[in-house]
Amino acid sequence: MSSAQQRDHLICNARDCFQKIESVAWVTCCSHVFCAQHGQDIKLRQSVSSCCPACGTRLREEFGIMERSLRDSVHSRTFLLCGYSPEVVMEIASSAITFWTFQKQQMCVNLEQKVQYYKETVSKLKQDMALVKSDAEVKIHRLEQQLENTLVKDRALNETPRVRETRGEHYRQAEQHARKRKMDDFLL
Ligand SMILES: [Zn+2]
Ligand SMILES: [Zn+2]
């Protein structure tokens, strides 16, 4: 298959499908096209709900949606329009080109929607990340405060025995001085 043929393909117009259509296309009277799976689904539902899933156009029983083979032999394609007058051939060709152009526009719209969807997803992810970061910063700040409080209490607990010890030493020295004074007084 040449690069031009690879590029010139149709894409299923069903929402979230975006499947490449290579062999069988289901074409609607409103110029939308669907893959084999979605086309058969629409055909089966046609008696119940006869609306095009892409645009909501009412699909008539006859010619509302038709199956088209895209892999007809070159021979059958060559003779496809044989027998029609040039006016009819031109009309058919014009309709086919209009359909093709519309589908290419649909692909552009679909790609733009996808780009928009990814942009919104990225934007939402950034917002979520900012919220997570903000929450984490609040938690870190709270933990740092708890740690600081714990360290202050720990320092206070470690300092208390030393204070008591210092005070005890002070009393002992005072008592010794008092005893020494008494002894000095006695000796005098
Ligand atoms: Zn599909
Ligand atoms: Zn449609």
Side-chain angles (χ1 to χ4, degrees):
M1 189 180 278
S2 70
S3 59
Q5 283 174 313
Q6 283 176 335
R7 199 169 54 245
D8 292 339
H9 57 258
L10 296 168
I11 296 292
C12 177
N13 294 163
R15 192 186 295 265
D16 300 331
C17 181
F18 213 65
Q19 187 178 312
K20 189 175 169 183
I21 299 172
E22 291 179 286
S23 55
V24 175
W26 286 80
V27 183
T28 64
C29 58
C30 47
S31 295
H32 283 113
V33 65
F34 299 94
C35 66
Q37 185 194 327
H38 283 107
Q40 282 163 2
D41 287 348
I42 296 164
K43 190 69 182 172
L44 286 171
R45 288 200 319 268
Q46 203 175 15
S47 57
V48 184
S49 171
S50 55
C51 291
C52 171
C55 68
T57 297
R58 188 173 176 78
L59 302 176
R60 299 180 306 276
E61 275 293 325
E62 195 180 10
F63 307 124
I65 181 165
M66 286 183 292
E67 187 178 10
R68 297 277 303 132
S69 172
L70 303 179
R71 285 198 173 158
D72 286 339
S73 66
V74 175
H75 181 76
S76 64
R77 283 183 194 171
T78 305
F79 292 100
L80 200 62
L81 297 177
C82 288
Y84 295 109
S85 68
E87 290 79 12
V88 174
V89 170
M90 289 304 290
E91 195 179 322
I92 293 169
S94 174
S95 296
I97 291 168
T98 302
F99 172 83
W100 186 263
T101 307
F102 176 73
Q103 279 303 314
K104 291 296 156 183
Q105 288 169 348
Q106 288 294 108
M107 288 170 73
C108 290
V109 170
N110 196 306
L111 285 171
E112 283 169 5
Q113 286 172 343
K114 276 198 161 188
V115 168
Q116 185 61 28
Y117 169 77
Y118 289 130
K119 276 183 182 174
E120 286 171 6
T121 304
V122 168
S123 172
K124 192 173 179 313
L125 283 172
K126 279 183 180 174
Q127 285 176 1
D128 290 348
M129 285 301 296
L131 279 174
V132 169
K133 189 184 170 197
S134 173
D135 284 351
E137 283 172 351
V138 168
K139 282 178 186 168
I140 287 169
H141 181 66
R142 200 181 299 145
L143 286 169
E144 282 174 346
Q145 281 185 329
Q146 285 178 357
L147 178 65
E148 183 61 33
N149 291 340
T150 307
L151 287 173
V152 167
K153 283 179 187 172
D154 189 49
R155 272 199 296 272
L157 285 169
N158 285 332
E159 279 174 3
T160 305
R162 277 204 295 276
V163 169
R164 284 185 190 145
E165 204 174 280
T166 308
R167 282 179 186 162
E169 183 66 25
H170 177 75
Y171 288 136
R172 274 195 296 280
Q173 284 177 358
E175 275 179 21
Q176 280 176 359
H177 283 136
R179 271 194 229 111
K180 191 171 181 301
R181 265 202 308 274
K182 278 182 187 176
M183 184 65 75
D184 291 343
D185 291 346
F186 177 75
L187 290 173
L188 286 172

